[in-house]
Amino acid sequence: FSAVTIRSQYLSILLVDGVLSIVSLALVWLYMWWTLESAFLASVAMFEIVFSLPVTMCIWTVLLQQKIEFFQLLTIYMILGIGADDAFIFYDAWQQSRFAPEVADDFTRRFSW
């Protein structure tokens, strides 16, 4: 095996894995859009999910001075599931708050319910 062949195979595998990662993110966004019935809420939830990882990795490396290992990069999928679930729970709580008589009239109180 030459270095060129190994690099070519590595890059082709990396390309396929990258496309699969982007497709999984897009499918989660589409499912959230369909479930939440709002492209804005789905986009904000995806923003929260995707941009929580760089902050966490920065804290992990700068403040705690730990190395990032390969398997830690796979946490995006775990965070993707947890973040999507959070968005669904908050949306359901918002929907249920309109039936609570003590907060139904005031939007500010519905947000804090």
Side-chain angles (χ1 to χ4, degrees):
F1 292 104
S2 69
V4 175
T5 306
I6 292 174
R7 182 182 168 121
S8 173
Q9 289 178 347
Y10 178 74
L11 289 177
S12 67
I13 291 170
L14 193 61
L15 179 67
V16 170
D17 289 347
V19 168
L20 289 174
S21 296
I22 291 171
V23 167
S24 69
L25 290 171
L27 286 176
V28 169
W29 182 82
L30 285 171
Y31 182 73
M32 287 192 334
W33 182 21
W34 179 66
T35 303
L36 299 175
E37 299 173 349
S38 170
F40 176 74
L41 288 178
S43 299
V44 169
M46 284 301 285
F47 179 82
E48 174 254 333
I49 292 165
V50 170
F51 285 102
S52 68
L53 191 63
V55 172
T56 305
M57 293 294 184
C58 183
I59 291 171
W60 181 258
T61 56
V62 174
L63 294 180
L64 301 177
Q65 299 189 359
Q66 302 287 324
K67 288 186 350 184
I68 296 176
E69 301 294 331
F70 171 73
F71 287 115
Q72 288 174 321
L73 297 176
L74 298 176
T75 59
I76 186 66
Y77 301 106
M78 183 175 63
I79 300 301
L80 193 62
I82 293 169
D85 186 53
D86 286 347
F88 298 144
I89 289 171
F90 285 134
Y91 182 74
D92 286 341
W94 169 255
Q95 292 293 340
Q96 291 175 6
S97 69
R98 86 177 120 176
F99 299 111
E102 65 273 6
V103 296
D105 298 336
D106 186 17
F107 281 126
T108 307
R109 294 190 65 196
R110 278 183 71 185
F111 276 120
S112 64
W113 184 71

